Amino acid sequence: MKSYVIHLLRAMPSQGALEGRYVGRAQSPLPMGAVAELAEFKREYKYPQGELYCASPAVSCVDTLKILYPQAQPEVVLDLAECDFGDWENKTAEELKDEPGFPEWLMGQGAPPNGESGQVFFQRVCRGFQLLVQNMMARGVTPAVLVTHAGVMTSILAAFGLPKAAPQDWLCDGGFGYSVRITPGLWMREPVMEVFARVPKLEDK
């Protein structure tokens, strides 16, 4: 039976993220340093190719993908957006330190005003990834490349990845990630996938 491969890559941090801001739905571009770093990665590493290229809707994700894969026409997956930080969007921890509920939110409790809780974010991301997998199977398309945020990627891997690991155990730097293999028969019984490689690989010299 045909298996399906997805290469998950973490986007480079946006300018807002580098400034320590909670950037969820705001559009914050890649800083020039990140663009230069990606160009260096392309010279040093061999990135896996795909039949399908997907990205979270943030400009930092789409631009990371376009720099690594100039030929790609990325499909944006709305349900794989970063967390909605609501009224705390684009603000720093220093600006929010006296906000009611902020210390509790940092400990994983509650949600930003008019934003998403961690649980709602996790459920949305898992739903979005399952729809992506269903779409690939319906179209018979593989492999795929998905460029997304750290929290989205670690949530996906913690929810479905084998071997099992906590979200923080799947963290990696921007421009790097993991390859996963999905077997339809197993996925239909229980949505799990094999994490079989780190990507990208060093170029052969």
Side-chain angles (χ1 to χ4, degrees), residues 94-159:
E94 179 64 24
E95 293 170 330
L96 295 170
K97 64 182 181 181
D98 296 324
E99 286 287 322
F102 181 66
E104 291 78 10
W105 179 69
L106 290 178
M107 300 296 293
Q109 302 170 16
N114 299 308
E116 289 181 308
S117 67
Q119 182 179 12
V120 169
F121 167 73
F122 184 81
Q123 290 172 343
R124 168 174 60 77
V125 166
C126 290
R127 180 178 67 246
F129 185 75
Q130 287 177 298
L131 288 173
L132 172 61
V133 172
Q134 290 173 16
N135 182 265
M136 289 178 63
M137 290 181 182
R139 295 160 64 180
V141 174
T142 189
V145 174
L146 169 63
V147 177
T148 189
H149 305 276
V152 172
M153 188 167 76
T154 58
S155 295
I156 290 169
L157 291 167

Side-chain angles (χ1 to χ4, degrees), residues 53-98:
Y53 293 90
C54 299
S56 294
V59 66
S60 58
C61 295
V62 174
D63 285 355
T64 295
L65 190 149
K66 286 183 175 178
I67 292 168
L68 292 175
Y69 302 96
Q71 81 285 2
Q73 297 294 323
E75 297 184 12
V76 171
V77 185
L78 296 179
D79 272 345
L80 299 183
E82 178 60 284
C83 183
D84 185 348
F85 296 118
D87 295 352
W88 296 345
E89 179 71 33
N90 220 23
K91 296 182 179 179
T92 66
E94 179 64 24
E95 293 170 330
L96 295 170
K97 64 182 181 181
D98 296 324

